[in-house]
């Protein structure tokens, strides 16, 4: 029997389960990595995402070779014929790979006609296995991130003193929502110059005549485990101390603030969640960092990241098609081209994504996703755009974040109420409104901010459904108090905006 291992582009870790399973026989175990040109045409991906994944794969292939694995690297049109060629050449009788994290890809691999048997190995990348997460959900009357997070803290013994949370509290989020009132001295991010391998990938991507999104250069992301570790180290030394307080703040021209920028690397396998969590915890003890910063970040990784993956695993296949509000609008064109909008918050963030493929959590949730939600864009169109635009996007993380959290299309499995907000929130948490042609206080009139008229239009369109949720009563009471003339004007403004932007 000859086992061959296929390594997928988001499983780039020497300790991943398929490699571990053959480690003792590595010299006799052929390994393959494949770049598929047809796969990257499934959607117009951000060019830097393509460069990142292919360059990281090429670097990982080198790393495997240096460790003694016989590696084949192919850049082809389709996976299936390339796999069969390699299977025949190497007389492989069993193709082994770590179970793909993304369901559509798993289904397409299952449909391949291969010249040998195939074995999927359960992944060791996430902290909770599918079975363990399912067991946890089955034991609960309600699904709440906070309950899951506490379970994770206890199970992995993170920031615990005996069986109690350090600092006497599980969650310090209240200290982590400071608006950027004064001018802030933000840290600089660690970026890299493209090496030879990356420069070659950039050339290759430029030579493919495919539809893409965003700028390919300057490309500054790390592409190997060693660079990912440097980024993590840079973050622990320079940013973690102040990560918490301004986590939700947004400032013009500040693309990264105190954020870690590690999602692209954890999602590719270059860093593992547990090593990151352990290093953050160690830094807390070593440097006496504030607990609100340390706990706030650990909650993102041990809590949110694992929770999103778990929910993605336990939900039905049709979770990605959910549309609780029955929103059917198309995505406004300016999401694909920042120059086409004069709304300053959206323009700034879209421009930033075109340049880097990155935006932080609140920019994604409270600006990009919020606007699509209140306009009534189809959740699937929103999901497609996020998947194309972001450097760290994969199906398992997009679907729960966009369909569930951002668009509330699952009717409340992931969030207890929709993340819908008017310009009031944006003005409080950013400096975008100061330089905008629209007036953040106005909901009617020529200069009314579109976030305002769409917010009230959204509430009025869905008031019955929102009332049944029971957590929106305060804003619905304000809606009730609104003069019918004003509501009419708001609805007219929303309709005029849609007409002008090619929506129905
Ligand atoms: P930091 O702010 O430094 O946070 C640290 C880490 O926590 C992140 O690197 C990430 O690994 C983890 N994390 C925090 N929140 C989440 C979450 N909700 N889901 C999963 N992991 C989380 N994250 C992605 O990795 N890929 C995506 O495509 C993605 N799309 C999103 C779309 C929407 C609408 C929303 C609301 C969130 C999305 N997120 C996504 C989650 C989160 O916004 C990003 O993980 C984070 O902004 C990445 O930047 P960072 O590494 O600097 O994060
Ligand atoms: Fe965005 Fe409205 Fe503020 Fe302009 S006024 S930046 S559109 S929230």
């Amino acid at each position: 029997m000859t086992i061959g291992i296929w390594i997928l582009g988001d499983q780039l870790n020497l300790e991943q389960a398929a490699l571990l399973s053959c480690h003792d026989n590595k010299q006799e175990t052929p390994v393959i990595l494949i770049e598929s040109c047809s796969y990257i045409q499934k959607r117009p991906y951000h060019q830097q995402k393509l460069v990142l994944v292919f360059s990281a794969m090429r670097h990982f292939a080198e790393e495997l070779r240096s460790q003694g694995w016989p590696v084949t690297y192919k850049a082809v049109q389709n996976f299936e014929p390339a796999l069969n060629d390699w299977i025949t050449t190497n007389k492989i009788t069993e193709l082994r790979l770590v179970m793909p994290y993304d369901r559509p890809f798993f289904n397409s691999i299952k449909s391949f006609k291969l010249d040998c048997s195939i074995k999927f190995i359960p992944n060791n990348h996430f902290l909770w296995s599918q079975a363990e997460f399912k067991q946890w959900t089955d034991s609960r009357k309600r699904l709440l991130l906070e309950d899951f997070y506490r379970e994770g803290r206890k199970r992995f013994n993170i920031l615990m003193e005996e069986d109690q949370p350090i600092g006497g509290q599980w969650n310090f989020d209240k200290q982590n929502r400071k608006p950027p009132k004064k001018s802030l001295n933000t840290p600089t991010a660690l970026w890299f110059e493209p090496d030879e391998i990356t420069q070659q990938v950039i050339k290759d991507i430029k030579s493919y005549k495919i539809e893409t999104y965003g700028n390919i250069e300057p490309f500054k992301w790390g592409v190997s485990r060693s660079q990912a570790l440097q980024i993590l180290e840079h973050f622990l030394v320079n940013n973690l101390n102040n990560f918490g307080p301004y986590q939700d703040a947004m400032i013009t021209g500040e693309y990264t603030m105190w954020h870690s920028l590690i999602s692209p690397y954890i999602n590719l396998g270059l860093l593992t969640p547990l090593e990151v969590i352990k290093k953050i915890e160690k830094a807390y003890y070593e440097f006496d960092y504030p607990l609100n910063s340390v706990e706030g970040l650990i909650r993102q990784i041990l809590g949110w990241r694992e929770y999103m993956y778990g929910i993605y695993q336990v939900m039905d296949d049709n979770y990605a098609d959910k549309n609780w509000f029955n929103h059917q609008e198309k995505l406004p064109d300016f999401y694909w081209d920042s120059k086409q909008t004069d709304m300053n918050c959206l323009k700034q963030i879209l421009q930033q994504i075109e340049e880097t493929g990155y935006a932080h959590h609140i920019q994604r949730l409270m600006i990009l996703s919020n606007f699509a939600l209140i306009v009534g864009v189809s959740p699937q169109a929103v999901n497609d755009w996020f998947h194309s635009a972001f450097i760290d996007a994969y199906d398992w993380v997009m679907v729960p974040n966009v369909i569930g959290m951002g668009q509330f299309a699952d009717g409340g499995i992931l969030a207890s109420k929709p993340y819908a907000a008017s310009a009031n929130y944006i003005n409080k948490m950013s400096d975008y409104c100061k330089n905008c042609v629209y007036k953040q206080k106005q909901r009617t009139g020529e200069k009314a901010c579109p976030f305002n008229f769409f917010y009230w239009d959204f509430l009025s369109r869905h008031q019955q459904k929102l009332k049944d949720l029971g957590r929106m009563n305060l804003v619905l009471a304000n809606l009730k108090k609104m003069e019918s003339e004003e509501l009419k004007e708001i609805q007219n403004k929303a309709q005029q905006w849609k007409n002008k932007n090619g929506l129905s």
Side-chain angles (χ1 to χ4, degrees), residues 328-397:
Q328 302 294 346
E329 294 294 350
K330 79 179 189 72
L331 192 74
D333 290 342
F334 61 73
Y335 273 75
W336 296 103
D337 177 8
S338 63
K339 289 191 282 304
Q340 292 182 34
T341 181
D342 54 5
M343 297 166 70
N344 193 39
C345 51
L346 280 160
K347 192 181 197 68
Q348 295 295 337
I349 295 168
L350 288 166
Q351 189 186 326
Q352 164 185 335
I353 297 168
E354 286 161 3
E355 285 173 25
T356 62
Y358 176 84
H360 73 62
H361 187 72
I362 293 301
Q363 293 174 314
R364 299 185 201 205
L365 184 64
M366 299 310 292
I367 311 276
L368 299 164
S369 173
N370 171 23
F371 191 67
L373 171 71
I374 59 183
V375 167
V377 177
S378 137
Q380 286 66 39
V382 184
N383 193 49
D384 281 345
W385 178 80
F386 269 89
H387 202 150
S388 283
F390 280 90
I391 194 85
D392 54 8
Y394 298 88
D395 199 64
W396 70 263
V397 66

Side-chain angles (χ1 to χ4, degrees), residues 60-246:
F60 188 63
E62 291 303 317
E63 202 177 336
L64 283 169
R65 284 189 188 109
S66 73
Q67 300 280 319
W69 295 89
V71 178
T72 301
Y73 196 98
K74 292 193 179 200
V76 294
Q77 198 58 32
N78 292 304
F79 291 117
E80 201 177 332
L83 278 171
N84 273 330
D85 271 1
W86 171 75
I87 287 167
T88 310
T89 311
N90 291 279
K91 299 191 177 54
I92 288 165
T93 50
E94 179 185 298
L95 175 67
R96 199 172 273 194
L97 70 155
V98 172
M99 182 92 84
Y101 313 145
D102 288 354
R103 281 190 190 186
F105 194 47
F106 181 41
N107 291 335
S108 84
I109 295 178
K110 281 195 295 188
S111 73
F112 288 179
K113 300 220 170 352
L114 295 177
D115 299 335
C116 70
S117 65
I118 185 161
K119 184 170 179 182
F120 295 100
I121 312 269
N123 87 70
N124 58 352
H125 183 62
F126 290 88
L127 298 174
W128 290 72
S129 73
Q130 196 173 338
E132 288 164 342
F133 190 83
K134 174 91 176 50
Q135 204 178 12
W136 179 80
T137 56
D138 288 348
S139 70
R140 317 295 305 174
K141 282 206 185 90
R142 53 172 201 182
L143 291 186
L144 263 192
L145 174 272
E146 189 61 31
D147 297 343
F148 173 75
Y149 166 60
R150 291 180 187 187
E151 201 65 31
R153 288 269 297 274
K154 287 188 242 166
R155 189 167 160 208
F156 297 97
N157 193 24
I158 305 294
L159 295 182
M160 297 294 292
E161 233 161 15
E162 312 247 314
D163 58 349
Q164 290 306 308
I166 280 187
Q169 249 170 267
W170 292 98
N171 186 321
F172 295 83
D173 220 15
K174 282 210 178 96
Q175 297 172 36
N176 287 356
R177 293 194 189 116
K178 280 198 179 161
K181 279 227 171 81
K182 50 182 186 175
S183 79
L184 295 171
N185 197 6
T186 54
T188 43
L190 177 63
W191 298 111
F192 297 92
E193 286 293 319
D195 65 6
E196 259 177 49
I197 294 181
T198 304
Q199 285 174 26
Q200 184 56 50
V201 180
I202 292 174
K203 269 194 206 146
D204 293 346
I205 300 291
K206 281 182 180 169
S207 73
Y208 298 156
K209 300 281 171 272
I210 58 172
E211 208 191 329
T212 55
Y213 164 81
N215 307 347
I216 195 162
E217 288 170 305
F219 179 90
K220 300 190 286 185
W221 294 97
V223 287
S224 62
R225 173 159 168 81
S226 113
Q227 289 183 331
L229 283 169
Q230 288 175 57
I231 288 171
L232 177 59
E233 200 54 36
H234 178 88
F235 167 79
L236 294 173
V237 172
N238 300 291
N239 303 20
L240 179 57
N241 194 19
N242 290 310
F243 173 82
Y246 296 102

Side-chain angles (χ1 to χ4, degrees), residues 343-346 423 426 432-433 436-440 449-451:
M343 297 166 70
N344 193 39
C345 51
L346 280 160
I426 299 169
Y432 297 136
C433 300
C436 187
V437 291
Y438 297 103
K439 300 282 176 224
Q440 51 85 14
C449 167
F451 274 90

Side-chain angles (χ1 to χ4, degrees), residues 5-18:
I5 296 177
W6 180 19
I7 297 189
L8 305 183
D10 58 354
Q11 300 176 345
L12 308 180
N13 195 294
L14 289 174
E15 305 286 311
Q16 57 113 295

Side-chain angles (χ1 to χ4, degrees), residues 443 456 459 472-483:
R443 50 192 187 193
W456 292 101
L459 293 179
M472 306 278 287
N473 294 343
L474 203 67
V475 282
L476 291 174
N478 287 337
L479 177 71
K480 233 177 176 174
K481 281 189 221 146
M482 193 183 280
E483 298 286 339

